[in-house]
Amino acid sequence: MTWKHFFTSSIGRKFIMGFTGIFLILFLIIHAGINSCIFLNDHGVTFNKMAHFMSHNWIMRFLEIGLFAGLIAHIIQGLSLTFQNKKARPVEYYFNQPSKNSKWYSRSMGILGTLLLLFLVMHLSHFYVDTKVALYSGDKPHDLFDEMKEVFSIKWVVILYLVGVVSLFWHLYHGFQSAFQTLGINHKRYTPLIKTIGTVYALIICILFALMPVAIHLQWIN
Amino acid sequence: MEHYNMNLTLKVWRQKNNQSKGKFETYPVNNISSEMSFLEMIDVLNEKLIEEGNEPIAFDHDCREGICGMCSMFINGQAHGPWQQNTTCQLHMRAFKDGDTIVVEPWRSAAFPVVKDLVVDRSSFDRIIQAGGYISVNTGNAVDANAIPIDKKDADDAFMAAACIGCGACVATCKNGSAMLFVGAKVSQLALLPQGAPEKESRVLNMIAQMDKEGFGNCTNTYACEAECPKGISVSNIARLNAEYLKAGLTTEEK
Ligand code: SF4
Ligand code: FES
């Protein structure tokens, strides 16, 4: 068993999905946590301080590389698995009732993931690109909170963000417990616990993320 | 339950051989007893087809008592039809009402090519078993069954995994055409027992390598397989398969 052999096998590739998935789940906690500083309603002072730390601290910058590597691996592996899985059934059933045996969101990880990818392109172009440009041109400190207010002042952007968050919810709702199964953990006592934690996690993260554009758009905070 | 007779319309997939295209044919079937099994209903139809000088519908079957796993049919959008933990031969016509239309298709999977009509070639499963689904023992006197103590829970879990009849309903149902429930069961039934322990590593590595070669898809944990498995094989066997593979794959020194 070479490394290549391991990572190109079906379970090796699932392992990549599960492992990077858990890594991204952890990242979202930090992301949602820091962004929640806007709810302090202090004109974004705390939030901007945190954002400044994240973009200037070298440990964070280093972790950022890992984040992108994990994200890209998750995306590429996910897309390629989805295409390969399609090929495993070249002729579709004429009459199929998948709802009798599984949940729609568990069957829709590819589609949900694609929606998230599209969302991510928009999201990065809104916030990430400008932050980096400001970092390297470096004349004046970048006011990320200001930028949030500007972006979320547009109604259709807020709606697109909400669509993104809803996709994220279902993706996480299935993905959280699925990752543990993939890593080989299925236990009479722990699996129900993992499922509950996953549900609570997905709810909290998504409610927080949904509140951000809404709260700014409706000027609950400024 | 009260006995009744029914008239049905059957929409069946007909395909001459692996090369031909295949299409649905519609047949009326009359006077079917609610106490017949689904296969008996097809027998009735086939006798009629033969009498009329037509080609009967080819389908797999053997034991007709739910233990061999041959009777592969996708009935009204579900593997083995509407009943839970049930094979086609054990599906009774009382599951249907007078006037129903029933759609019958073969398993659809790249790894299970259609041989004819409803018959598919499941030898990919055999090749997975050949790759490692066995234990190597020297012949000689039979060892006393209770000579090796086995934890009750392990024995029970192994027994439950061993209930898999290799029918392929898991593959047929899975949206990814994944065979992981089948392979999970076959790896588990041996990995859990001391007799299977010495070949644990090579077994799981070889069986997965063969599974990948056969063109099955990759599991995304929809758990549709467990819901449709006639023997109620649990997806915890897939988790065990994953764990066994990760352990072996990440630690083995063999190239
Ligand atoms: S795991 Fe269940 S559905 Fe799959 S082959 Fe075995 S008995 Fe059939
Ligand atoms: S014919 Fe043997 S299980 Fe149905």
Side-chain angles (χ1 to χ4, degrees):
Chain A
M1 168 117 330
T2 58
W3 288 115
K4 179 167 167 251
H5 194 144
F6 177 80
F7 283 112
T8 52
S9 70
S10 52
I11 298 186
R13 298 170 70 198
K14 274 163 56 71
F15 175 71
I16 298 177
M17 289 308 282
F19 187 79
T20 53
I22 288 185
F23 180 64
L24 294 169
I25 281 171
L26 292 174
F27 158 74
L28 283 182
I29 298 180
I30 300 177
H31 187 6
I34 289 181
N35 283 31
S36 294
C37 292
I38 63 167
F39 297 125
L40 292 175
N41 216 352
D42 58 354
H43 308 289
V45 174
T46 317
F47 170 68
N48 271 342
K49 245 190 234 152
M50 294 295 272
H52 183 84
F53 170 77
M54 293 304 276
S55 58
H56 288 76
N57 182 286
W58 68 268
I59 297 179
M60 292 303 153
R61 307 274 314 270
F62 183 73
L63 285 177
E64 190 179 18
I65 301 172
L67 173 64
F68 274 97
L71 187 63
I72 289 167
H74 196 81
I75 292 169
I76 292 180
Q77 211 50 260
L79 286 173
S80 115
L81 283 169
T82 306
F83 287 125
Q84 201 187 22
N85 291 347
K86 276 246 153 359
K87 271 206 295 204
R89 173 154 306 133
V91 183
E92 279 296 331
Y93 288 105
Y94 166 79
F95 183 21
N96 198 354
Q97 299 202 68
S99 57
K100 296 245 167 172
N101 51 45
S102 52
K103 298 275 189 281
W104 72 268
Y105 49 86
S106 75
R107 298 191 306 269
S108 314
M109 291 302 271
I111 269 294
L112 290 169
T114 310
L115 284 177
L116 286 174
L117 178 60
L118 293 175
F119 169 80
L120 212 62
V121 172
M122 172 178 80
H123 182 50
L124 291 183
S125 72
H126 276 155
F127 295 111
Y128 186 76
V129 174
D130 281 356
T131 313
K132 289 290 138 174
V133 169
L135 182 66
Y136 290 110
S137 63
D139 17 334
K140 64 174 177 35
H142 182 58
D143 191 339
L144 197 57
F145 185 65
D146 237 22
E147 184 156 31
M148 257 176 125
K149 283 200 286 191
E150 197 185 307
V151 170
F152 294 145
S153 65
I154 310 161
K155 193 183 257 137
W156 63 263
V157 173
V158 174
I159 292 172
L160 285 183
Y161 267 74
L162 291 180
V163 172
V165 170
V166 171
S167 317
L168 179 66
F169 173 79
W170 294 110
H171 201 77
L172 289 173
Y173 185 56
H174 177 72
F176 192 100
Q177 51 93 16
S178 178
F180 287 89
Q181 163 87 0
T182 295
L183 298 181
I185 299 162
N186 187 315
H187 190 275
K188 277 228 164 64
R189 280 166 57 218
Y190 286 103
T191 298
L193 196 66
I194 289 170
K195 285 191 178 159
T196 312
I197 294 175
T199 310
V200 173
Y201 164 86
L203 273 175
I204 294 181
I205 293 282
C206 292
I207 289 173
L208 283 176
F209 276 142
L211 272 179
M212 290 165 197
V214 171
I216 291 183
H217 187 76
L218 299 178
Q219 297 185 346
W220 293 343
I221 50 179
N222 61 63
Chain B
M1 200 194 275
E2 214 183 316
H3 169 266
Y4 59 98
N5 277 1
M6 64 192 106
N7 296 333
L8 302 161
T9 308
L10 228 60
K11 217 173 154 172
V12 187
W13 183 259
R14 302 301 308 260
Q15 186 172 337
K16 214 168 160 76
N17 55 43
N18 187 243
Q19 302 310 317
S20 61
K21 255 193 81 168
K23 62 175 190 321
F24 280 101
E25 292 284 357
T26 311
Y27 305 99
V29 264
N30 296 331
N31 241 342
I32 295 297
S33 156
S34 58
E35 301 308 305
M36 277 183 185
S37 78
F38 199 85
L39 298 188
E40 283 166 338
M41 182 271 295
I42 297 198
D43 291 338
V44 169
L45 171 60
N46 271 348
E47 267 170 35
K48 195 172 127 222
L49 287 175
I50 295 170
E51 265 169 31
E52 293 165 354
N54 291 321
E55 180 88 11
I57 300 163
F59 64 97
D60 261 330
H61 62 111
D62 189 10
C63 70
R64 297 208 176 196
E65 53 184 12
I67 54 172
C68 76
M70 285 305 282
C71 49
S72 54
M73 287 185 198
F74 210 77
I75 302 164
N76 273 356
Q78 280 182 283
H80 296 136
W83 285 357
Q84 297 272 297
Q85 296 206 7
N86 194 73
T87 53
T88 305
C89 57
Q90 295 297 298
L91 174 67
H92 282 70
M93 292 313 291
R94 57 177 176 272
F96 303 94
K97 296 191 307 292
D98 189 34
D100 276 1
T101 297
I102 308 175
V103 180
V104 191
E105 295 173 77
W107 286 173
R108 300 285 190 198
S109 159
F112 291 162
V114 173
V115 178
K116 184 177 180 159
D117 296 342
L118 303 173
V119 179
V120 295
D121 177 0
R122 280 169 285 187
S123 55
S124 47
F125 269 13
D126 300 340
R127 289 188 290 275
I128 294 175
I129 297 292
Q130 281 159 11
Y134 51 78
I135 59 167
S136 310
V137 279
N138 292 326
T139 51
N141 283 346
V143 187
D144 181 76
N146 293 319
I148 310 168
I150 299 171
D151 184 275
K152 173 81 166 75
K153 168 99 170 47
D154 289 342
D156 286 350
D157 286 351
F159 193 80
M160 257 138 66
C164 165
I165 53 177
C167 64
C170 40
V171 177
T173 297
C174 175
K175 83 178 231 304
N176 310 314
S178 162
M180 294 218 14
L181 192 64
F182 167 76
V183 182
K186 297 302 174 194
V187 163
S188 290
Q189 67 178 13
L190 299 174
L192 282 161
L193 298 177
Q195 291 88 342
E199 289 156 307
K200 228 175 162 177
E201 278 196 0
S202 58
R203 174 181 309 117
V204 69
L205 297 178
N206 293 337
M207 285 177 83
I208 289 294
Q210 189 62 36
M211 179 186 92
D212 289 349
K213 247 188 250 163
E214 298 289 350
F216 292 103
N218 306 281
C219 175
T220 57
N221 304 330
T222 69
Y223 305 154
C225 51
E226 180 184 80
E228 295 289 357
C229 170
K231 297 296 149 183
I233 302 293
S234 160
V235 292
S236 60
N237 290 296
I238 299 184
R240 186 177 297 107
L241 172 71
N242 291 336
E244 290 288 328
Y245 188 83
L246 295 179
K247 252 186 282 173
L250 292 172
T251 59
T252 185
E253 295 198 35
E254 256 158 69
K255 285 259 167 174

